[in-house]
Amino acid sequence: MCFSNMYFGLQTGWISMMSLQASLLGYAVFRPFQKKIAEPFGPIENVVLQTTAVATATMPLAAGKFTSNSPCPSQRKALYDFNTQANHMLGFVGIIPALGLLTTKDHPSGPIELSTGELILWSLGVAFFGVFFAVPLRKQTIVREKLRFPSGTATAQMITLLHEKSADTSSTLRQRRRQQQPQQQDLDEIVHEDQPLLSSSSSSRSTVTSYTAMPSEHSSCSNVALGSFQVDSAQEEHLSQQLSISAEEEDRRAETEESWSMKLRALIVSFSLSSGYTLLSYFFPIIYTLPLFNWLSLNTIDFVAWEWYFTPSLSYIGQGIIMGLPTTLSMLLGCVIGWGVLSPIAYYAGWAPGPVSDWKTGSKGWILWISLGVMIAESIVSLTVMLIRTLVKATIRRRNQQSKPRYSLASQHSNTSCEDEIERETLGEESEQEGQSGGKDTDEDAPPEQRVGMFVTIVGLIVSTLFCVCVVVLVFGANVMPIQMTFLAVAVAMLLSVLAVRALGETDLNPVSGIGKISQVIFALVMPGGIAANLIAGGIAEAGAQQAGDLMQDLKTGHLLHASPKAQFYGQMIGSFFSAFVATGAYKLYTTVYEVPGPEFSVPTAYVWLDMSRLVNGHQLPAHVTEFVILFAFIFSALVFMKEMNPHPGHGWRRYIPQGIAFAIGMYNPPSFTLARVIGAYLGHQWKCYCNSSLDTTAPDDTLWQKYRRIVGKVLIIIVASGFVLGEGTFAIVNLILRAMDVPHF
């Protein structure tokens, strides 16, 4: 998954957090060996596995991320509008290529190129301190305030759907959590201790009552006989229930096996199709850049010269499925306005006279500034609203605590309503029943021995910060990046990560792209003229916020499934450590075989970072782009303000408001990046509508689509999308090897 993310990140700067793919692949790998391993691979083990895998796939790659909003999943919607990211992959597709693009005007020594050892050190230096940021935030945001974190909830839903044990799992987990609290067992639990968790307790109690009923002093022999008959009837009833449960269990197992085989078949087929297309594109590169619009216009207009061509990549379609229709439509709007309207205007007006694809003199570089203005405006407005909202909530909460009893039932209900809905969707109806019966599991934290101690957190934060400072001095030198600037970068990351985590928990939007830009503004004020230092410091600040947000999503998944936070924490640390070596190897492979930046890998995120650094350090903008930057920044600031001020932003006409970050990404990436993703999102939307529609009783039930709809359901489209993404990402390595060996192609 790390190689796959590197491939897509170098291409477009847009990769996935890979939580769904990690849980899916982990289940696929371990399920065939369930009977051969000592400890069963259950939901808790899958949570720890996906936490470690996500850390390896995106840490320390991730430096900036865009996630689409997902409402509270009353219809499991979060699973299908699952977050997708424009991860800037810290260093490897953002900072490091940007440092290589520096000129002598930007930096006296010109470009900064890092060796393999320096890349590993840089990755390790920024991989850990953000993890320690997340630990103290978990108690407040997840346990006490019960923020939604829809993407973490979606991953929990995927895991429970894969293991097909929603209710059983929740019961078993709650029993594990209660082992430390001595409780009195009922008589029916002693008599029937092998009784299934979901069996009826009322029948058991009636049976015990029959066994313990004593005849009265004046009862006759007929009454004694009747009592014996009742005992026999109770025994027969209990035996009948056990047989019925066994039959139901066999049916459930058979259905689970069939469901899993269909899911695995869908994953293999989608992976194979995407792999075949990727391999074929090496020998026939034309299929990756189809001049579809030239054909439609009968070559009267050269759309290819304006970057309008179609890439029928199955991985792009899969990414569109995961992104969702609202996000991709916002990208399409940015694509049409940027490449269809503004690019021709800038070219014919003489504001961008160079080739369209040129970043410096062409319209591609000209519209990049407009997209950058949109990202900055939306991020600043969103963070400002989030900060005000957080302060207001904290003030109201403090007043309520002073004026009301500490354990107010009304307050407790208001704080747990959304969490209860999420747990009902994730763990089944049993959590709702426990909540109504007075159970406190949904409000309790993990046992103390499963939590990360404060001593470990403080020491780890100090050590990781000092290690980051030493690495930056060793790799770049104190003359390029002063020591106090590195400390300031970590401090800014710590402060901004609090806002990022809260925004992520409430809206599923981690505004680290805006955080990076805000940090660049701060560092330009502190150290003006230092473009290289500005890039490094901005990357450090953004990395901390990114890591804290990603780990918080995983911790939300673990909290819903009652996994150990300490196990997830150490899994994150292990994954981050190995990722430094894996990511460096992947980056060096691609930069050795391919030209980066180049035709295959344009690395647009590097230009975003570099242009922002030049802007805040006083460099002039291209001709007449300032007016458009101000116009679009004002428009999207107003749109974000309208959306954020509404208590239900996903309802009514407000759900049609375009997303600013997605709009900007659709603008600075070529149209081929967007078109296939829109198609994928539309297909995913249609499949969801098909699953939501009522079953056609007249249609034959054994048709392929009806069967997959009935047995697999909505999760099928996520499995297919994962296969598409992983197929191209994996076989891109094969293409890289073929390219390195100079295998001929057309």
Side-chain angles (χ1 to χ4, degrees):
M1 293 191 300
C2 184
F3 274 80
S4 178
N5 275 339
M6 183 67 70
Y7 171 76
F8 293 114
L10 290 173
Q11 270 190 342
T12 62
W14 188 286
I15 66 172
S16 173
M17 185 178 170
M18 292 288 185
S19 294
L20 293 180
Q21 290 90 333
S23 58
L24 178 61
L25 288 178
Y27 184 75
V29 169
F30 280 95
R31 193 180 191 284
F33 306 100
Q34 282 280 39
K35 298 181 180 180
K36 299 181 181 180
I37 55 180
E39 189 71 21
F41 184 75
I44 291 180
E45 290 76 16
N46 203 333
V47 168
V48 178
L49 181 145
Q50 72 90 19
T51 301
T52 308
V54 166
T56 308
T58 62
M59 299 285 193
L61 300 175
K65 147 178 154 179
F66 163 72
T67 54
S68 61
N69 294 345
S70 279
C72 201
S74 60
Q75 297 295 330
R76 299 186 184 267
K77 190 176 186 296
L79 179 59
Y80 312 106
D81 292 342
F82 184 67
N83 78 317
T84 50
Q85 297 113 76
N87 272 316
H88 294 170
M89 302 179 71
L90 177 56
F92 293 107
V93 305
I95 307 301
I96 299 304
L99 292 173
L101 294 172
L102 292 173
T103 63
T104 54
K105 293 181 180 180
D106 302 321
H107 184 62
S109 302
I112 299 178
E113 302 286 347
L114 300 183
S115 63
T116 302
E118 290 172 334
L119 286 174
I120 293 175
L121 281 176
W122 162 256
S123 302
L124 292 173
V126 298
F128 301 110
F129 61 85
V131 178
F132 291 99
F133 289 168
V135 174
L137 297 176
R138 173 188 171 274
K139 181 76 174 181
Q140 180 65 28
T141 58
I142 295 179
V143 179
R144 292 177 180 168
E145 298 185 34
K146 303 183 184 300
L147 298 184
R148 295 176 298 171
F149 291 98
S151 295
T153 302
T155 305
Q157 291 172 339
M158 167 64 87
I159 291 174
T160 53
L161 286 173
L162 286 173
H163 290 268
E164 300 284 351
K165 292 182 180 180
S166 259
D168 291 344
T169 299
S170 60
S171 303
T172 305
L173 292 174
R174 288 186 173 84
Q175 286 190 356
R176 292 178 185 173
R177 293 280 298 276
R178 293 169 180 157
Q179 285 178 355
Q180 299 178 353
Q181 303 176 358
Q183 297 179 352
Q184 183 179 1
Q185 292 183 330
D186 291 337
L187 183 60
D188 58 327
E189 294 180 11
I190 299 175
V191 177
H192 305 292
E193 61 184 39
D194 61 339
Q195 186 176 359
L197 293 174
L198 297 181
S199 62
S200 173
S201 59
S202 60
S203 61
S204 301
R205 291 190 180 93
S206 65
T207 305
V208 176
T209 303
S210 300
Y211 273 103
T212 56
M214 298 295 296
S216 63
E217 185 178 355
H218 303 287
S219 60
S220 62
C221 295
S222 60
N223 291 337
V224 175
L226 180 60
S228 301
F229 175 76
Q230 289 176 345
V231 171
D232 294 338
S233 299
Q235 290 177 336
E236 292 178 0
E237 181 183 358
H238 177 65
L239 180 60
S240 175
Q241 287 181 353
Q242 294 291 350
L243 293 175
S244 176
I245 292 174
S246 300
E248 291 178 0
E249 181 68 18
E250 289 296 328
D251 293 340
R252 192 184 68 83
R253 288 181 181 178
E255 185 176 352
T256 300
E257 289 294 331
E258 184 180 12
S259 174
W260 165 243
S261 64
M262 296 177 70
K263 293 173 184 175
L264 183 61
R265 193 180 307 120
L267 180 65
I268 293 175
V269 170
S270 59
F271 182 91
S272 302
L273 290 175
S274 183
S275 302
Y277 169 81
T278 305
L279 188 61
L280 198 63
S281 67
Y282 174 82
F283 295 100
F284 303 96
I286 184 64
I287 67 173
Y288 210 79
T289 55
L290 295 178
L292 179 63
F293 300 98
N294 285 40
W295 297 341
L296 294 176
S297 64
L298 302 178
N299 285 323
T300 55
I301 302 176
D302 188 7
F303 282 95
V304 175
W306 294 96
E307 297 286 319
W308 282 91
Y309 53 85
F310 181 62
T311 300
S313 169
L314 293 179
S315 65
Y316 286 7
I317 294 176
Q319 289 176 1
I321 292 173
I322 299 175
M323 289 174 185
L325 198 57
T327 300
T328 55
L329 289 179
S330 297
M331 291 168 53
L332 181 62
L333 180 62
C335 171
V336 172
I337 293 178
W339 292 91
V341 179
L342 298 179
S343 177
I345 290 176
Y347 178 80
Y348 287 112
W351 304 334
V356 173
S357 59
D358 189 88
W359 285 102
K360 294 182 179 179
T361 62
S363 58
K364 185 176 185 177
W366 192 86
I367 62 177
L368 172 63
W369 291 102
I370 302 174
S371 65
L372 187 59
V374 172
M375 286 191 289
I376 296 173
E378 180 179 80
S379 300
I380 291 177
V381 173
S382 298
L383 287 174
T384 302
V385 173
M386 178 60 61
L387 178 60
I388 296 174
R389 185 181 296 160
T390 301
L391 294 176
V392 171
K393 286 183 178 180
T395 304
I396 295 175
R397 191 182 304 113
R398 190 178 298 109
R399 290 179 179 177
N400 291 338
Q401 290 176 352
Q402 293 174 355
S403 60
K404 294 182 179 181
R406 185 174 181 181
Y407 298 102
S408 171
L409 293 177
S411 173
Q412 186 179 19
H413 180 269
S414 63
N415 287 338
T416 60
S417 58
C418 187
E419 179 74 9
D420 292 341
E421 181 181 358
I422 293 174
E423 288 216 6
R424 284 197 300 270
E425 288 294 324
T426 307
L427 299 178
E429 296 180 355
E430 184 183 353
S431 70
E432 180 182 7
Q433 296 172 357
E434 287 203 12
Q436 295 174 352
S437 62
K440 297 182 180 179
D441 289 88
T442 57
D443 296 323
E444 292 180 353
D445 197 359
E449 66 274 9
Q450 294 184 8
R451 293 180 239 158
V452 181
M454 187 56 64
F455 176 79
V456 174
T457 303
I458 295 175
V459 173
L461 181 58
I462 294 173
V463 172
S464 60
T465 300
L466 294 176
F467 180 66
C468 178
V469 173
C470 294
V471 165
V472 171
V473 172
L474 183 62
V475 173
F476 298 103
N479 58 331
V480 176
M481 182 67 178
I483 295 178
Q484 62 271 21
M485 283 286 288
T486 307
F487 277 111
L488 178 62
V490 176
V492 170
M494 184 183 302
L495 295 175
L496 295 180
S497 64
V498 177
L499 291 178
V501 166
R502 295 197 66 85
L504 190 64
E506 294 185 7
T507 67
D508 211 27
L509 171 65
N510 192 345
V512 290
S513 295
I515 286 174
K517 307 303 177 288
I518 294 172
S519 63
Q520 285 185 280
V521 174
I522 296 174
F523 298 128
L525 297 174
V526 176
M527 188 177 176
I531 292 181
N534 188 278
L535 291 171
I536 298 168
I540 293 173
E542 195 178 21
Q546 171 72 48
Q547 294 160 8
D550 282 351
L551 179 57
M552 202 61 67
Q553 292 278 25
D554 294 333
L555 290 175
K556 179 65 176 182
T557 303
H559 180 71
L560 289 175
L561 297 177
H562 292 179
S564 168
K566 182 184 291 186
Q568 290 186 271
F569 169 79
Y570 286 118
Q572 184 87 11
M573 297 291 288
I574 294 172
S576 298
F577 176 79
F578 282 101
S579 177
F581 300 92
V582 176
T584 299
Y587 179 77
K588 295 301 290 186
L589 279 175
Y590 279 108
T591 54
T592 300
V593 176
Y594 295 95
E595 179 186 358
V596 179
E600 292 91 351
F601 302 99
S602 59
V603 200
T605 305
Y607 291 97
V608 173
W609 274 95
L610 184 56
D611 283 352
M612 181 64 188
S613 183
R614 288 170 174 169
L615 174 64
V616 297
N617 282 280
H619 286 218
Q620 292 184 347
L621 294 175
H624 295 282
V625 76
T626 306
E627 301 92 291
F628 288 91
V629 170
I630 295 174
L631 174 63
F632 279 90
F634 175 79
I635 292 174
F636 277 91
S637 296
L639 293 177
V640 172
F641 187 79
M642 293 166 57
K643 184 184 298 185
E644 291 291 339
M645 294 307 293
N646 182 50
H648 302 288
H651 295 77
W653 59 270
R654 288 177 176 84
R655 59 182 162 181
Y656 300 106
I657 296 177
Q659 303 169 6
I661 302 295
F663 178 90
I665 291 173
M667 181 175 287
Y668 75 68
N669 274 295
S672 60
F673 168 82
T674 302
L675 298 176
R677 287 170 171 82
V678 174
I679 295 175
Y682 178 76
L683 293 176
H685 175 74
Q686 288 298 317
W687 175 255
K688 187 172 70 171
C689 293
Y690 174 67
C691 292
N692 287 336
S693 62
S694 58
L695 286 171
D696 185 6
T697 56
T698 61
D701 191 51
D702 57 349
T703 61
L704 182 64
W705 297 118
Q706 288 279 4
K707 190 174 182 181
Y708 268 97
R709 174 191 178 184
R710 176 175 54 85
I711 298 178
V712 181
K714 295 180 183 178
V715 75
L716 170 68
I717 200 68
I718 299 296
I719 295 174
V720 172
S722 301
F724 284 162
V725 173
L726 294 173
E728 181 166 341
T730 303
F731 266 71
I733 304 174
V734 178
N735 286 8
L736 184 147
I737 297 173
L738 296 176
R739 178 74 173 264
M741 297 174 61
D742 289 328
V743 175
H745 56 83
F746 296 97

